């Protein structure tokens, strides 16, 4: 997998507003927020997109999901929306798996 902007953020080669970090993942504010809270949560290990994740990464993926609620709460929100874009046709622009954590405004359903 080629280097992405997110691997550079992990390596601190470019700055980001980091709100959470542990051995497995990093969470930082989206540079172009779509809601009052817009966090990107990424695994430190590079996986291009969710469809490329392996069975051996099951616990890592579970870890990411479990962190979303903790991060939202830490930032002051109980209600939030999670978004994962898988592939360019679904709107993915950075090919390092990430979960968008959005909160602080009403969200339409079905999602746009
Ligand atoms: P995607 O469209 O791939 O699901 O989401 C990529 C997200 O990364 C977008 O919301 C975009 O604003 C954000 N993003 C792209 N480059 C950077 C960056 O250098 N720093 C930060 N903080 N966010 C970025």
């Amino acid at each position: 997998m080629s280097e992405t902007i997110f691997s550079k953020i992990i390596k601190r080669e470019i700055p980001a507003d980091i709100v959470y970090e542990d051995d497995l993942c990093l969470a930082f504010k989206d540079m172009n927020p779509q809601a009052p809270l817009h966090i990107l949560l990424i695994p430190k290990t590079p996986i291009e997109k969710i469809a490329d994740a392996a069975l051996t990464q099951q616990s890592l993926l579970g870890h990411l999901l479990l962190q979303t609620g903790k991060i939202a709460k830490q930032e002051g929100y109980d209600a939030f929306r999670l978004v994962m874009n898988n592939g360019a046709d679904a709107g993915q622009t950075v090919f390092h798996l990430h979960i968008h954590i959005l909160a602080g405004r009403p969200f339409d359903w079905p999602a746009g």
Side-chain angles (χ1 to χ4, degrees):
M1 183 177 145
S2 55
E3 175 114 319
T4 68
I5 202 90
F6 291 174
S7 38
K8 290 183 179 165
I9 288 174
I10 293 167
K11 289 191 275 180
R12 308 306 203 262
E13 289 173 3
I14 62 166
D17 191 347
I18 293 167
V19 299
Y20 177 78
E21 180 172 23
D22 64 28
D23 289 348
L24 299 175
C25 65
L26 187 70
F28 51 93
K29 293 188 178 169
D30 196 294
M31 67 172 352
N32 183 24
Q34 301 302 310
L37 180 74
H38 188 170
I39 302 288
L40 300 171
L41 175 61
I42 66 174
K44 287 186 172 173
T45 209
I47 304 167
E48 270 192 33
K49 57 189 189 298
I50 187 65
D52 295 334
L55 199 53
T56 52
Q57 292 167 320
Q58 190 166 289
S59 66
L60 169 63
L61 297 173
H63 179 77
L64 291 174
L65 281 178
L66 289 172
Q67 296 319 308
T68 62
K70 292 182 187 170
I71 293 166
K73 197 166 189 68
Q74 169 194 297
E75 298 301 307
Y77 295 95
D78 287 320
F80 55 91
R81 176 166 288 185
L82 302 180
V83 174
M84 290 183 81
N85 297 322
N86 184 89
D89 288 349
Q92 186 174 3
T93 58
V94 180
F95 289 86
H96 181 126
L97 186 154
H98 50 281
I99 303 174
H100 296 259
I101 306 171
L102 299 143
R105 66 167 172 84
F107 295 104
D108 291 337
W109 191 259

mmCIF file of all heavy atoms in Angstrom, residues 18-43:
data_model
loop_
_atom_site.group_PDB
_atom_site.id
_atom_site.type_symbol
_atom_site.label_atom_id
_atom_site.label_comp_id
_atom_site.label_asym_id
_atom_site.label_seq_id
_atom_site.Cartn_x
_atom_site.Cartn_y
_atom_site.Cartn_z
ATOM 1 N N ILE A 18 -4.734 16.030 17.088
ATOM 2 C CA ILE A 18 -4.954 14.670 17.591
ATOM 3 C C ILE A 18 -5.751 14.713 18.891
ATOM 4 O O ILE A 18 -5.414 15.469 19.809
ATOM 5 C CB ILE A 18 -3.603 13.950 17.782
ATOM 6 C CG1 ILE A 18 -2.954 13.725 16.408
ATOM 7 C CG2 ILE A 18 -3.770 12.613 18.526
ATOM 8 C CD1 ILE A 18 -1.508 13.304 16.453
ATOM 9 N N VAL A 19 -6.819 13.906 18.961
ATOM 10 C CA VAL A 19 -7.669 13.900 20.158
ATOM 11 C C VAL A 19 -7.567 12.592 20.934
ATOM 12 O O VAL A 19 -7.957 12.533 22.102
ATOM 13 C CB VAL A 19 -9.155 14.185 19.814
ATOM 14 C CG1 VAL A 19 -9.306 15.568 19.183
ATOM 15 C CG2 VAL A 19 -9.744 13.115 18.901
ATOM 16 N N TYR A 20 -7.030 11.550 20.300
ATOM 17 C CA TYR A 20 -6.900 10.258 20.987
ATOM 18 C C TYR A 20 -5.830 9.437 20.272
ATOM 19 O O TYR A 20 -5.729 9.455 19.041
ATOM 20 C CB TYR A 20 -8.223 9.477 20.976
ATOM 21 C CG TYR A 20 -8.088 8.115 21.615
ATOM 22 C CD1 TYR A 20 -8.054 7.983 23.001
ATOM 23 C CD2 TYR A 20 -7.946 6.968 20.841
ATOM 24 C CE1 TYR A 20 -7.883 6.741 23.586
ATOM 25 C CE2 TYR A 20 -7.768 5.727 21.425
ATOM 26 C CZ TYR A 20 -7.739 5.622 22.794
ATOM 27 O OH TYR A 20 -7.558 4.386 23.380
ATOM 28 N N GLU A 21 -5.060 8.690 21.072
ATOM 29 C CA GLU A 21 -4.068 7.783 20.492
ATOM 30 C C GLU A 21 -3.850 6.626 21.434
ATOM 31 O O GLU A 21 -3.844 6.796 22.664
ATOM 32 C CB GLU A 21 -2.736 8.514 20.269
ATOM 33 C CG GLU A 21 -1.662 7.612 19.672
ATOM 34 C CD GLU A 21 -0.398 8.365 19.266
ATOM 35 O OE1 GLU A 21 -0.157 9.469 19.812
ATOM 36 O OE2 GLU A 21 0.342 7.839 18.424
ATOM 37 N N ASP A 22 -3.704 5.440 20.879
ATOM 38 C CA ASP A 22 -3.219 4.291 21.656
ATOM 39 C C ASP A 22 -2.313 3.472 20.747
ATOM 40 O O ASP A 22 -1.950 3.934 19.653
ATOM 41 C CB ASP A 22 -4.391 3.496 22.276
ATOM 42 C CG ASP A 22 -5.313 2.861 21.253
ATOM 43 O OD1 ASP A 22 -4.858 2.544 20.141
ATOM 44 O OD2 ASP A 22 -6.501 2.668 21.574
ATOM 45 N N ASP A 23 -1.961 2.269 21.173
ATOM 46 C CA ASP A 23 -1.007 1.463 20.398
ATOM 47 C C ASP A 23 -1.526 1.121 19.004
ATOM 48 O O ASP A 23 -0.740 0.903 18.079
ATOM 49 C CB ASP A 23 -0.716 0.137 21.118
ATOM 50 C CG ASP A 23 0.108 0.370 22.364
ATOM 51 O OD1 ASP A 23 0.626 1.492 22.528
ATOM 52 O OD2 ASP A 23 0.240 -0.573 23.164
ATOM 53 N N LEU A 24 -2.853 1.057 18.868
ATOM 54 C CA LEU A 24 -3.456 0.539 17.636
ATOM 55 C C LEU A 24 -4.046 1.607 16.727
ATOM 56 O O LEU A 24 -4.223 1.361 15.536
ATOM 57 C CB LEU A 24 -4.566 -0.467 17.986
ATOM 58 C CG LEU A 24 -4.139 -1.714 18.761
ATOM 59 C CD1 LEU A 24 -5.357 -2.536 19.138
ATOM 60 C CD2 LEU A 24 -3.175 -2.536 17.922
ATOM 61 N N CYS A 25 -4.386 2.746 17.301
ATOM 62 C CA CYS A 25 -5.129 3.712 16.487
ATOM 63 C C CYS A 25 -4.824 5.157 16.859
ATOM 64 O O CYS A 25 -4.206 5.431 17.893
ATOM 65 C CB CYS A 25 -6.634 3.435 16.592
ATOM 66 S SG CYS A 25 -7.329 3.679 18.230
ATOM 67 N N LEU A 26 -5.262 6.024 15.977
ATOM 68 C CA LEU A 26 -5.064 7.472 16.158
ATOM 69 C C LEU A 26 -6.356 8.166 15.716
ATOM 70 O O LEU A 26 -6.965 7.767 14.714
ATOM 71 C CB LEU A 26 -3.908 7.924 15.261
ATOM 72 C CG LEU A 26 -3.416 9.347 15.390
ATOM 73 C CD1 LEU A 26 -2.695 9.541 16.724
ATOM 74 C CD2 LEU A 26 -2.464 9.691 14.248
ATOM 75 N N ALA A 27 -6.768 9.184 16.461
ATOM 76 C CA ALA A 27 -7.962 9.953 16.096
ATOM 77 C C ALA A 27 -7.590 11.430 16.057
ATOM 78 O O ALA A 27 -6.913 11.934 16.957
ATOM 79 C CB ALA A 27 -9.083 9.719 17.103
ATOM 80 N N PHE A 28 -8.031 12.101 15.012
ATOM 81 C CA PHE A 28 -7.712 13.523 14.853
ATOM 82 C C PHE A 28 -8.859 14.237 14.152
ATOM 83 O O PHE A 28 -9.700 13.611 13.500
ATOM 84 C CB PHE A 28 -6.397 13.706 14.061
ATOM 85 C CG PHE A 28 -6.351 12.947 12.761
ATOM 86 C CD1 PHE A 28 -6.741 13.557 11.580
ATOM 87 C CD2 PHE A 28 -5.940 11.625 12.720
ATOM 88 C CE1 PHE A 28 -6.708 12.872 10.375
ATOM 89 C CE2 PHE A 28 -5.907 10.916 11.520
ATOM 90 C CZ PHE A 28 -6.290 11.537 10.349
ATOM 91 N N LYS A 29 -8.898 15.553 14.273
ATOM 92 C CA LYS A 29 -9.980 16.339 13.691
ATOM 93 C C LYS A 29 -9.830 16.416 12.167
ATOM 94 O O LYS A 29 -8.715 16.612 11.665
ATOM 95 C CB LYS A 29 -10.016 17.739 14.305
ATOM 96 C CG LYS A 29 -10.395 17.669 15.771
ATOM 97 C CD LYS A 29 -10.643 19.036 16.375
ATOM 98 C CE LYS A 29 -11.077 18.854 17.832
ATOM 99 N NZ LYS A 29 -11.094 20.105 18.579
ATOM 100 N N ASP A 30 -10.955 16.249 11.490
ATOM 101 C CA ASP A 30 -10.957 16.383 10.024
ATOM 102 C C ASP A 30 -10.657 17.836 9.649
ATOM 103 O O ASP A 30 -11.169 18.762 10.274
ATOM 104 C CB ASP A 30 -12.323 15.951 9.470
ATOM 105 C CG ASP A 30 -12.283 15.696 7.976
ATOM 106 O OD1 ASP A 30 -12.069 16.667 7.215
ATOM 107 O OD2 ASP A 30 -12.456 14.540 7.564
ATOM 108 N N MET A 31 -9.813 18.024 8.641
ATOM 109 C CA MET A 31 -9.428 19.387 8.236
ATOM 110 C C MET A 31 -10.584 20.138 7.552
ATOM 111 O O MET A 31 -10.529 21.361 7.420
ATOM 112 C CB MET A 31 -8.212 19.355 7.288
ATOM 113 C CG MET A 31 -8.539 18.737 5.977
ATOM 114 S SD MET A 31 -7.314 18.785 4.633
ATOM 115 C CE MET A 31 -6.017 19.782 5.131
ATOM 116 N N ASN A 32 -11.603 19.394 7.120
ATOM 117 C CA ASN A 32 -12.749 20.003 6.437
ATOM 118 C C ASN A 32 -14.029 19.488 7.097
ATOM 119 O O ASN A 32 -14.768 18.687 6.521
ATOM 120 C CB ASN A 32 -12.704 19.637 4.955
ATOM 121 C CG ASN A 32 -13.814 20.280 4.166
ATOM 122 O OD1 ASN A 32 -14.362 21.313 4.567
ATOM 123 N ND2 ASN A 32 -14.188 19.668 3.051
ATOM 124 N N PRO A 33 -14.297 19.951 8.334
ATOM 125 C CA PRO A 33 -15.354 19.326 9.136
ATOM 126 C C PRO A 33 -16.744 19.485 8.538
ATOM 127 O O PRO A 33 -17.104 20.561 8.060
ATOM 128 C CB PRO A 33 -15.248 20.041 10.488
ATOM 129 C CG PRO A 33 -14.499 21.298 10.219
ATOM 130 C CD PRO A 33 -13.608 21.030 9.048
ATOM 131 N N GLN A 34 -17.514 18.408 8.593
ATOM 132 C CA GLN A 34 -18.880 18.379 8.069
ATOM 133 C C GLN A 34 -19.911 18.445 9.191
ATOM 134 O O GLN A 34 -21.113 18.311 8.941
ATOM 135 C CB GLN A 34 -19.087 17.112 7.242
ATOM 136 C CG GLN A 34 -18.126 16.980 6.076
ATOM 137 C CD GLN A 34 -18.222 18.166 5.118
ATOM 138 O OE1 GLN A 34 -19.314 18.541 4.694
ATOM 139 N NE2 GLN A 34 -17.078 18.785 4.801
ATOM 140 N N ALA A 35 -19.469 18.635 10.402
ATOM 141 C CA ALA A 35 -20.343 18.745 11.573
ATOM 142 C C ALA A 35 -19.518 19.406 12.675
ATOM 143 O O ALA A 35 -18.279 19.459 12.579
ATOM 144 C CB ALA A 35 -20.806 17.349 12.005
ATOM 145 N N PRO A 36 -20.183 19.923 13.721
ATOM 146 C CA PRO A 36 -19.420 20.547 14.811
ATOM 147 C C PRO A 36 -18.325 19.625 15.369
ATOM 148 O O PRO A 36 -17.245 20.094 15.733
ATOM 149 C CB PRO A 36 -20.502 20.854 15.845
ATOM 150 C CG PRO A 36 -21.718 21.120 15.004
ATOM 151 C CD PRO A 36 -21.634 20.120 13.865
ATOM 152 N N LEU A 37 -18.616 18.317 15.424
ATOM 153 C CA LEU A 37 -17.551 17.347 15.731
ATOM 154 C C LEU A 37 -17.341 16.491 14.495
ATOM 155 O O LEU A 37 -18.296 15.887 13.969
ATOM 156 C CB LEU A 37 -17.940 16.438 16.907
ATOM 157 C CG LEU A 37 -16.847 15.412 17.268
ATOM 158 C CD1 LEU A 37 -15.681 16.080 17.993
ATOM 159 C CD2 LEU A 37 -17.397 14.270 18.115
ATOM 160 N N HIS A 38 -16.132 16.466 13.999
ATOM 161 C CA HIS A 38 -15.799 15.584 12.863
ATOM 162 C C HIS A 38 -14.383 15.058 13.088
ATOM 163 O O HIS A 38 -13.397 15.754 12.851
ATOM 164 C CB HIS A 38 -15.891 16.334 11.538
ATOM 165 C CG HIS A 38 -15.750 15.439 10.339
ATOM 166 N ND1 HIS A 38 -16.000 15.875 9.059
ATOM 167 C CD2 HIS A 38 -15.407 14.117 10.218
ATOM 168 C CE1 HIS A 38 -15.812 14.866 8.216
ATOM 169 N NE2 HIS A 38 -15.430 13.795 8.894
ATOM 170 N N ILE A 39 -14.359 13.841 13.581
ATOM 171 C CA ILE A 39 -13.095 13.177 13.914
ATOM 172 C C ILE A 39 -12.866 12.049 12.914
ATOM 173 O O ILE A 39 -13.813 11.373 12.490
ATOM 174 C CB ILE A 39 -13.181 12.560 15.337
ATOM 175 C CG1 ILE A 39 -13.495 13.639 16.388
ATOM 176 C CG2 ILE A 39 -11.928 11.768 15.690
ATOM 177 C CD1 ILE A 39 -12.387 14.581 16.698
ATOM 178 N N LEU A 40 -11.609 11.838 12.569
ATOM 179 C CA LEU A 40 -11.228 10.671 11.775
ATOM 180 C C LEU A 40 -10.472 9.718 12.683
ATOM 181 O O LEU A 40 -9.516 10.126 13.353
ATOM 182 C CB LEU A 40 -10.333 11.088 10.608
ATOM 183 C CG LEU A 40 -10.957 12.073 9.620
ATOM 184 C CD1 LEU A 40 -9.906 12.589 8.646
ATOM 185 C CD2 LEU A 40 -12.119 11.428 8.873
ATOM 186 N N LEU A 41 -10.926 8.470 12.717
ATOM 187 C CA LEU A 41 -10.271 7.444 13.532
ATOM 188 C C LEU A 41 -9.641 6.438 12.580
ATOM 189 O O LEU A 41 -10.334 5.868 11.722
ATOM 190 C CB LEU A 41 -11.304 6.755 14.435
ATOM 191 C CG LEU A 41 -10.792 5.582 15.267
ATOM 192 C CD1 LEU A 41 -9.683 5.999 16.223
ATOM 193 C CD2 LEU A 41 -11.946 4.942 16.036
ATOM 194 N N ILE A 42 -8.338 6.245 12.724
ATOM 195 C CA ILE A 42 -7.608 5.378 11.786
ATOM 196 C C ILE A 42 -6.790 4.338 12.543
ATOM 197 O O ILE A 42 -6.289 4.591 13.638
ATOM 198 C CB ILE A 42 -6.672 6.209 10.870
ATOM 199 C CG1 ILE A 42 -5.543 6.857 11.670
ATOM 200 C CG2 ILE A 42 -7.457 7.253 10.097
ATOM 201 C CD1 ILE A 42 -4.502 7.565 10.800
ATOM 202 N N PRO A 43 -6.638 3.149 11.937
ATOM 203 C CA PRO A 43 -5.703 2.187 12.507
ATOM 204 C C PRO A 43 -4.276 2.640 12.186
ATOM 205 O O PRO A 43 -4.041 3.264 11.143
ATOM 206 C CB PRO A 43 -6.049 0.885 11.771
ATOM 207 C CG PRO A 43 -6.592 1.329 10.449
ATOM 208 C CD PRO A 43 -7.268 2.659 10.706
#
